[in-house]
Structures are given as C-alpha cells and as structure tokens.
Amino acid sequence: SDWSSDVFSSDPPSTLRIYAGPLSRRVLGADRYEALAPLVTYPAAPDFLARLLLFIFDLWNGLTGSAGLAILLMTLTVRGGLMPLSIRNQLGMREYGRKMGKLKPKLEVLKQRYGTNPRKFREEQQKLMREHGIRFPMGCLMMLLQIPIFFALFSSLRSEFAIRHEAFGWIRDLSGPDRLVDFGRDVFSFLPIPPGGLRGVNLLPLFYIGITLWQQRMMPPPQDEQQAQQMKMAKWMSIIFSILLYNYTAALALYMCMSSLVALVESRIVRAKDQQQVGAAALRSEERRVGKE
C-alpha cells in the first residue's frame, strides 16, 4: 500500500511503501503472490545460488533453532565442500612459487635483455617456463568461485526475514550491525566512510581484518613480483571490504569471519602437505643422484 502526506506546505509530499503479509519465502513463492516477486529475488547474484544457500541455512536453522548457529554451520558446509579444491589450488600456487624461484636468475637475464620491450620479454618468459614445464597456476580460481557465493549472501541476507530481531551472543539483531558498543550517534559525521556512519564499535568487521592479516602472514613469502602484487591486493581488499560493509548485517559478517577461520585451518593443512611434497621431492632427487653415481 502507498501512503502520502504533505508534512509542510513548502515540502514535497513524502511517500512510504508498506507491506503487510506473510514473511515466509515458501508462501511468497506461490502464484498468488507473484506481484511480490521483487521481495524474493536477489538482483546481485543468481537466484538459484541465493536460494541454495538459504536452503542450507533453513536446514541448520530448523535443527538448531538459532539463526546465528545456522549461519556458522552453513559457512562450514559451503567452505567444507570447497576445501579439497582450495587445498589443491594452494598447493599448486606454492609449487609454482618454488619453480619460479629457481628460474629467477634466468628471468633476471631476460629482464635485462628485453627490459625495453615488454612484449618480447613476456614471449621469452613463457618460452622459458614451457621449457621447464611450468604452467601458470589457477590462483584466482577460488576467488572466482567465492565471489558469486559472497554476492548471493549479500543479496539474500539483505532481505531475509528469518534473521530479523534474532539475537546471537552479544548481537541483538542479526539483520543489523553487531554493535558491541553503541555510541547512539555518528561521532564522525563529517567523514564519508564507513557508509552509514560510525555509530558504534562493530566487532565482527574488525575481527575479520585481524584474521585475514594473520592468515596472510602465515603464507610463504612471494617468489616473484606477480605474487607480491596479488598478496598486497588481497590485504587491501580485506580492509576495504570491512570498511564498506562495516554497518551491514551481522549475519554476513559472521559468514566472513567463519570463512576466514576455515581458511586458517586450510593454510595449516596446506603447509603440512607442502612440506611432505618438498621432502618427497628431495628424497627422489637424492635417489636419482645416488643411482647415477
């Protein structure tokens, strides 16, 4: 329904759109509510992906009776399903870094020889990598997989009714910022960031920054300029994301924090597996050397 009122004669009329009806996604999906389809669509992501994530959320919410726990368990379900691919991808990145480290002297020679001709340098670099059996790793694969998931959560949690007025821990309402400390007003109203103003201390975005920076410190040092730039970009992106989403729903912040904790566990697994591969490769190299002697 629409409601309009002229508050003051000199001001333009104010218009409010008010919805009164069921808050169930299942009910709203019925034909009789087709006119309300915009309420259950997710413009920033494919609808099927948003509905799949909400289906997982509904399962855990029904089992636990807690929307906050359901979000954490949904994160574990999604990230757990992607973990084998993520570990394989990270191991490939580490192996690529080691191989490129061995080629660094030869690459420096090429850079000096073709420093004024970037196109020729890239051609010679690719030729050298092919000769040594080095392929570019799919370093962005996990990012490409996680970006649609993130946007699906961003869209679905923005209009999800089940998290409204749901408390979890110190969070009074999962559909708003977690507000560990509430200032009651915007203390830095003259600043354009964060969007929505600084009206309190939201712990989850700060926690996310800390986890992400800790995770990056545990990664091996970059072996080439490309890896260094990727790591620097990832560091700044985590900070920028947290600032832009500082006042967004605590539900999404919970997902981001739990996802980062899963990434920490992955990094430990990757480091252990990587050390095993390095040890096995060194043993094979030693056996070949002894065999030649």
Side-chain angles (χ1 to χ4, degrees), residues 56 60 64 68-78 258:
I56 299 173
W60 287 118
T64 63
L69 276 177
I71 290 170
L72 297 179
L73 292 170
M74 176 189 68
T75 308
L76 290 176
T77 303
V78 174
M258 178 55 74

Side-chain angles (χ1 to χ4, degrees), residues 176-289:
D178 65 272
R179 293 284 165 83
L180 179 65
V181 179
D182 194 344
F183 299 149
R185 62 186 181 87
D186 185 1
V187 294
F188 295 113
S189 57
F190 57 90
L191 293 177
I193 54 175
L198 187 63
R199 299 178 178 273
V201 176
N202 300 333
L203 181 60
L204 290 176
L206 303 178
F207 186 53
Y208 171 73
I209 293 177
I211 298 173
T212 305
L213 296 181
W214 184 20
Q215 178 193 358
Q216 291 177 357
R217 288 192 63 181
M218 294 178 62
M219 296 179 65
Q223 298 294 330
D224 56 24
E225 185 177 350
Q226 182 182 5
Q227 278 191 338
Q229 290 178 350
Q230 289 178 352
M231 292 177 66
K232 186 180 295 185
M233 183 178 68
K235 175 182 177 179
W236 283 107
M237 285 298 290
S238 65
I239 297 175
I240 292 172
F241 266 153
S242 297
I243 293 175
L244 293 177
L245 301 177
Y246 186 77
N247 288 311
Y248 202 67
T249 63
L252 183 64
L254 273 178
Y255 170 84
M256 293 168 62
C257 290
M258 178 55 74
S259 182
S260 296
L261 288 174
V262 173
L264 277 176
V265 175
E266 283 182 355
S267 65
R268 290 182 176 274
I269 297 174
V270 167
R271 185 167 56 182
K273 287 183 173 290
D274 187 58
Q275 290 174 354
Q276 291 177 359
Q277 290 183 0
V278 170
L283 181 61
R284 289 194 298 268
S285 178
E286 180 66 18
E287 289 176 349
R288 287 194 297 268
R289 186 185 65 82

Side-chain angles (χ1 to χ4, degrees), residues 30-192:
D31 293 340
R32 61 184 295 187
Y33 291 104
E34 185 177 357
L36 300 178
L39 293 176
V40 287
T41 57
Y42 313 101
D47 281 5
F48 80 90
L49 183 55
R51 291 193 175 101
L52 174 62
L53 293 172
L54 289 175
F55 173 75
I56 299 173
F57 167 79
D58 287 341
L59 288 178
W60 287 118
N61 196 22
L63 289 172
T64 63
S66 168
L69 276 177
I71 290 170
L72 297 179
L73 292 170
M74 176 189 68
T75 308
L76 290 176
T77 303
V78 174
R79 288 302 306 265
L82 294 175
M83 185 177 286
L85 181 60
S86 178
I87 291 175
R88 181 179 178 183
N89 182 58
Q90 292 183 56
L91 287 172
M93 288 289 292
R94 292 195 175 212
E95 184 179 5
Y96 170 79
R98 286 194 298 271
K99 290 181 178 180
M100 291 300 295
K102 294 179 181 179
L103 285 184
K104 192 172 182 179
K106 295 182 179 180
L107 290 174
E108 290 295 333
V109 173
L110 292 178
K111 188 177 293 185
Q112 293 177 1
R113 185 179 301 173
Y114 304 108
T116 58
N117 190 343
R119 181 177 178 181
K120 183 64 176 178
F121 171 74
R122 287 193 297 268
E123 291 177 356
E124 293 297 324
Q125 180 187 25
Q126 292 174 4
K127 180 180 177 181
L128 182 64
M129 291 172 63
R130 284 195 300 269
E131 291 175 355
H132 288 80
I134 302 176
R135 297 180 180 180
F136 284 106
M138 298 296 291
C140 298
L141 179 59
M142 285 306 299
M143 184 179 295
L144 293 175
L145 288 175
Q146 291 187 54
I147 285 177
I149 294 175
F150 176 82
F151 278 107
L153 285 168
F154 182 88
S155 297
S156 58
L157 294 179
R158 179 173 52 187
S159 58
E160 176 52 35
F161 312 115
I163 66 173
R164 295 186 181 183
H165 309 300
E166 287 288 328
F168 184 67
W170 74 92
I171 307 169
R172 292 185 291 272
D173 186 354
L174 283 169
S175 64
D178 65 272
R179 293 284 165 83
L180 179 65
V181 179
D182 194 344
F183 299 149
R185 62 186 181 87
D186 185 1
V187 294
F188 295 113
S189 57
F190 57 90
L191 293 177

